[in-house]
């Protein structure tokens, strides 16, 4: 982690610890520079990072302000964005239904950018939150990039393993979202009725070099899932 | 528009005009600098902006590559992100059902950060795409910020009016998403059955100074709407 990233984490922690709310003003640049004992350019880089992550907004000539939505229990769609603590408090757990090496379907080939002869790890899991089903996950990992997975790894955080265990650098992701009706199998896994609504989230994760390594299709229990995005300005 | 923003638009146009695909490499920095006849720092700022918008990704020591998803007909959730042309081709139109000045409900007060005595413009519209209903919109505008709206304005682009007509600077937005069942009124407007799925998107738009000015609740026809997000890395 670079210095400015570390400072960004500390400012984020400061916001949480002081329970700052949306619109609350952060100390001025000079105060932050003195407080963290780093250069002005490091603080500026840290604040730019926090702005890109949707955690603060900067008003020219006026100061730096906190962004923090008021609603509880929403899942952030931009991973690692916002305040991890909130999610950790609800203690999600997961159950592995299936772990297999398979040949990719056309859909998996298209999304992972691979040919029919390649192998993929298929992981089917159910996630639980507050004792209720949160989602049914179907994940496909390119085996040429993720050469080994086992039940222990996939019942914990796969991303932790990919980053810490394999030393791979996770980059950007493409997400596709829509509402639809549950099919019979999905309804059974989620404890809902067939043709109840579902929130579908497909995510293709890429390494920082642009290679897609994980294609996941997540079917969320509509009664347990609400999502949020703190979008930055593109105007 | 600043110089680097203009260059960013031109690079984006270059990507569209040359029909570049995900993973295609852009010319090297020196070539772009010469091609657009600007300084290296302007090109760097333009590329950083395009990276934040999810339009390119940069690989250290390797080059700049295009991000462009392959799926057609998806709506970008991060406004102005990606390729506007795609949406324009499907020619969305809208019908104004209601335009009124009202007192805010508790929900509207919470989201616009105003008191019960303030006035808000309430706009109810249906959007159509390819001759089908796309969504039912309920929008609330803080009248202290948007002092005047009429049918003509709200049947066109309200944001165009806010930016060009009122000279306001649109900043960041908070979005909340979930799937649920349509109620009877929503189903009627959308031409669907009650208890069919709906994709709900709530958006709170803020000015660059952090003031929320627009709280919108959009109910999407699940058969006509699919969304995408080109997320940048937060790892």
């Amino acid at each position: 982690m670079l210095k400015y990233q570390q400072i960004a984490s500390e400012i984020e922690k400061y916001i949480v610890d002081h329970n700052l709310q949306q619109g609350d003003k952060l100390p001025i640049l000079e105060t932050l520079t003195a407080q963290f004992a780093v250069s002005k350019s490091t603080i500026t880089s840290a604040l730019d990072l926090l702005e890109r992550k949707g955690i603060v907004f900067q008003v020219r000539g006026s100061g730096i302000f906190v962004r923090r939505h008021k609603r509880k229990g929403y899942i952030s769609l931009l991973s690692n964005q916002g305040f991890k603590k909130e999610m950790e408090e609800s203690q999600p757990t997961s159950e592995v239904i299936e772990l297999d090496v398979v040949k990719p379907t056309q859909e998996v080939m298209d999304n992972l950018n691979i040919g029919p002869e390649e192998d993929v790890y298929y992981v089917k899991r159910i996630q639980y939150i507050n004792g209720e089903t949160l989602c049914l996950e179907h994940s496909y990992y390119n085996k040429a990039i993720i050469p080994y997975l086992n039940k222990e790894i996939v019942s914990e955080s796969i991303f932790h393993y990919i980053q810490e265990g394999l030393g791979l650098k996770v980059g950007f992701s493409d997400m596709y979202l829509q509402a639809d009706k549950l099919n019979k199998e999905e309804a059974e896994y989620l404890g809902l009725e067939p043709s109840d609504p579902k929130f579908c989230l497909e995510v293709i994760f890429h390494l920082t070099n642009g290679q897609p390594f994980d294609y996941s299709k997540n079917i969320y229990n509509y009664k347990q899932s609400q999502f949020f995005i703190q979008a930055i300005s593109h105007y």
Side-chain angles (χ1 to χ4, degrees), chain A:
Chain A
M1 204 185 266
L2 297 172
K3 190 71 191 168
Y4 79 90
Q5 293 170 322
Q6 188 192 320
I7 299 296
S9 292
E10 286 181 31
I11 296 176
E12 191 177 341
K13 191 171 175 308
Y14 174 92
I15 292 170
V16 176
D17 290 348
H18 291 73
N19 198 23
L20 299 186
Q21 300 302 313
Q22 175 124 350
D24 283 354
K25 195 174 173 178
L26 286 185
I28 59 168
L29 214 56
E30 288 68 24
T31 311
L32 290 173
T33 307
Q35 187 173 332
F36 292 102
V38 291
S39 71
K40 198 176 153 189
S41 74
T42 301
I43 289 289
T44 306
S45 298
L47 291 172
D48 285 346
L49 176 61
L50 289 174
E51 184 159 31
R52 287 202 300 277
K53 289 171 88 172
I55 290 166
V56 304
F57 63 98
Q58 306 191 48
V59 182
R60 213 175 285 257
S62 181
I64 306 133
F65 301 86
V66 172
R67 289 186 63 182
R68 199 173 182 186
H69 70 99
K70 301 171 201 161
R71 306 189 188 185
K72 296 284 167 208
Y74 281 69
I75 301 165
S76 172
L77 275 176
L78 303 182
S79 21
N80 236 25
Q81 191 199 42
F83 304 88
K84 285 174 259 177
K85 227 175 117 194
E86 283 180 22
M87 265 309 280
E88 279 164 16
E89 276 168 9
S90 12
Q91 294 176 321
T93 57
S94 68
E95 179 192 347
V96 181
I97 313 279
E98 194 178 333
L99 168 63
D100 263 323
V101 175
V102 299
K103 292 294 174 194
T105 61
Q106 187 61 49
E107 183 184 45
V108 173
M109 286 190 272
D110 288 347
N111 285 297
L112 287 181
N113 227 348
I114 56 175
E117 291 313 311
E118 305 265 2
D119 285 324
V120 292
Y121 269 110
Y122 168 57
V123 181
K124 186 174 176 180
R125 296 197 300 188
I126 300 184
Q127 293 230 32
Y128 297 89
I129 197 162
N130 304 322
E132 304 278 348
T133 57
L134 175 65
C135 79
L136 172 64
E137 289 182 0
H138 304 275
S139 296
Y140 302 87
Y141 297 90
N142 183 347
K143 196 165 177 297
I145 301 173
I146 316 290
Y148 180 72
L149 286 178
N150 65 23
K151 260 212 155 147
E152 198 189 331
I153 295 167
V154 302
S155 62
E156 303 282 327
S157 168
I158 300 176
F159 269 57
H160 181 81
Y161 166 74
I162 287 172
Q163 293 181 101
E164 305 301 320
L166 298 177
L168 294 172
K169 289 206 175 108
V170 176
F172 59 88
S173 58
D174 294 333
M175 300 186 196
Y176 301 94
L177 308 89
Q178 68 181 113
D180 208 334
K181 292 181 183 179
L182 287 169
N183 65 33
K184 199 160 163 266
E185 192 210 5
E186 292 162 348
E188 236 159 68
Y189 277 116
L190 294 176
L192 295 169
E193 296 301 316
S195 82
D196 267 355
K198 64 179 174 186
F199 188 100
C200 307
L201 174 64
E202 291 173 72
V203 190
I204 304 162
F205 290 97
H206 304 73
L207 300 178
T208 48
N209 69 8
Q211 262 193 301
F213 67 94
D214 171 8
Y215 169 51
S216 287
K217 294 169 73 170
N218 303 330
I219 316 295
Y220 280 88
N221 180 337
Y222 77 104
K223 292 185 175 172
Q224 300 298 329
S225 58
Q226 297 179 299
F227 301 85
F228 81 95
I229 302 172
Q230 287 179 231
I232 59 173
S233 174
H234 290 299
Y235 286 94

